[in-house]
Amino acid sequence: MTYIDLLEAIAGKIAALWPERTIYRDFCPADFKRPSSFLWVAPETGYRDASIGLVEWTFEAELELFSATDAYDAESTEALRADQAAVLAAFGLPLTVGDRTVMVHAMADSPGPGAAYVIFTASWLDSRPGYTDPDTALPPAGTAPLMEDYQLNVSVTSGPDREERDDAD
């Protein structure tokens, strides 16, 4: 799973709240429609070392909510607050992304005049890109498998009159 997969899942959950609204991604045009929202990934998103075979992904994205305007071209703070609360409530449970489940934390400050924001954060462990564990890696094609030390002890009996013989080593 990559941060792009997680961003798509977040956008899908927001789109399910308001199917008729546009979600602008990565950039917002000057003539955007209202009501709508703008979703982008923060620059802090990426991964860092967790162990020899694992990396820890950290993810942060921001959502800016735009409500409809009135005759004076002003947005309703109450409408922004309601939209913000709907987004926060939608992210109360872990989010399923492909075959993974990730807890996405949604946080928000009180909406100000004309703007409401929701910040999404998440972190998860994943395999290091390109890493192969030498203990479980398959040998290259055309080579003999590596040998291991082993000892075989066999006891053989051949009927009631024969004595038991130990063929160790």
Side-chain angles (χ1 to χ4, degrees):
M1 178 180 80
T2 66
Y3 75 90
I4 296 169
D5 301 327
L6 182 57
L7 187 67
E8 292 297 326
I10 290 171
K13 195 157 199 142
I14 295 166
L17 291 173
W18 304 291
E20 71 284 356
R21 294 186 186 181
T22 301
I23 300 175
Y24 297 99
R25 307 281 293 275
D26 299 326
F27 73 95
C28 189
D31 59 343
F32 63 90
K33 296 186 314 183
R34 292 175 181 269
S36 61
S37 55
F38 172 38
L39 180 65
W40 72 93
V41 176
E44 294 81 22
T45 297
Y47 65 84
R48 63 183 177 157
D49 292 338
S51 71
I52 191 169
L54 295 174
V55 292
E56 179 184 14
W57 281 91
T58 55
F59 171 86
E60 185 174 320
E62 293 187 35
L63 175 71
E64 184 174 0
L65 298 165
F66 305 111
S67 68
T69 57
D70 60 14
Y72 299 104
D73 214 20
E75 293 180 298
S76 165
T77 304
E78 290 80 20
L80 288 170
R81 189 175 289 119
D83 289 352
Q84 193 179 52
V87 172
L88 292 173
F91 287 89
L93 295 174
L95 188 61
T96 300
V97 182
D99 62 345
R100 308 279 297 270
T101 301
V102 178
M103 189 64 201
V104 176
H105 303 279
M107 301 166 283
D109 289 330
S110 296
Y117 295 91
V118 178
I119 298 172
F120 301 100
T121 59
S123 66
W124 67 94
L125 293 175
D126 211 345
S127 298
R128 180 179 298 281
Y131 177 74
T132 303
D133 185 358
D135 293 332
T136 60
L138 296 173
T143 62
L146 300 176
M147 296 299 292
E148 295 185 18
D149 293 329
Y150 67 92
Q151 180 179 1
L152 178 65
N153 294 320
V154 179
S155 295
V156 178
T157 55
S158 300
D161 296 344
R162 303 206 108 171
E163 62 184 50
E164 190 171 310
R165 187 175 93 190
D166 189 8
D167 288 339
D169 298 300

